[in-house]
Amino acid sequence: MNQNINLLWPILSALTGEPLADLPYEERLPRLLAHGFGLWDVLGACEREGSLDSAIRKPAANDFARLRELCPLLETVGFNGQTSGKFAPQFAAEGYRTLVLPSTSPAHASMTLAQKLAQWKMLLS
């Protein structure tokens, strides 16, 4: 697989057993939910030129209380990389199981898809 693409959807496809990466975006989220997965940005707003996390300026956290309201059965929160993983202690303090996973970004290509997937599979246990 081309390591110059974001591997989020290929990894989520492997975890769910569905070809999510091949579906239109609006069809992906309902399929994820059907498998007990949700996607949520830890940042509600920021300034950023380009797509690199290192370019984030003026980050503002998303509304964590709203997440709890919307997802009262949520138990595990996986963070896609170290930047979002900075919020893991905040979630752990609220009683969530947290996993800081390898970033799916092509900027973090030091791991193969198989290596990243092996760690992302911890979400299933």
Side-chain angles (χ1 to χ4, degrees):
M1 174 162 287
N2 182 343
Q3 290 294 326
N4 292 323
I5 64 166
N6 190 298
L7 296 174
L8 178 66
W9 290 108
I11 285 174
L12 292 175
S13 294
L15 294 178
T16 62
E18 291 204 36
L20 298 171
D22 298 332
L23 297 175
Y25 186 79
E26 62 275 2
E27 293 178 29
R28 294 175 185 183
L29 299 181
R31 295 307 317 141
L32 268 181
L33 284 174
H35 289 278
F37 287 94
L39 286 180
W40 188 74
D41 286 319
V42 295
L43 294 182
C46 71
E47 293 179 7
R48 175 170 67 176
E49 286 190 36
S51 61
L52 295 176
D53 287 348
S54 60
I56 293 174
R57 302 289 178 261
K58 299 182 184 176
N62 217 331
D63 184 354
F64 298 135
R66 177 110 170 100
L67 178 64
R68 185 175 287 286
E69 288 173 25
L70 292 172
C71 306
L73 301 178
L74 181 66
E75 296 175 357
T76 301
V77 179
F79 297 89
N80 185 359
Q82 296 296 320
T83 300
S84 64
K86 292 176 184 175
F87 291 90
Q90 193 171 348
F91 280 83
E94 293 293 323
Y96 293 105
R97 172 180 170 242
T98 60
L99 298 168
V100 180
L101 302 162
S103 175
T104 60
S105 168
H108 300 281
S110 61
M111 295 176 74
T112 66
L113 171 60
Q115 290 169 322
K116 290 180 181 186
L117 180 57
Q119 290 191 35
W120 277 72
K121 284 183 177 179
M122 291 186 299
L123 288 170
L124 302 175
S125 57

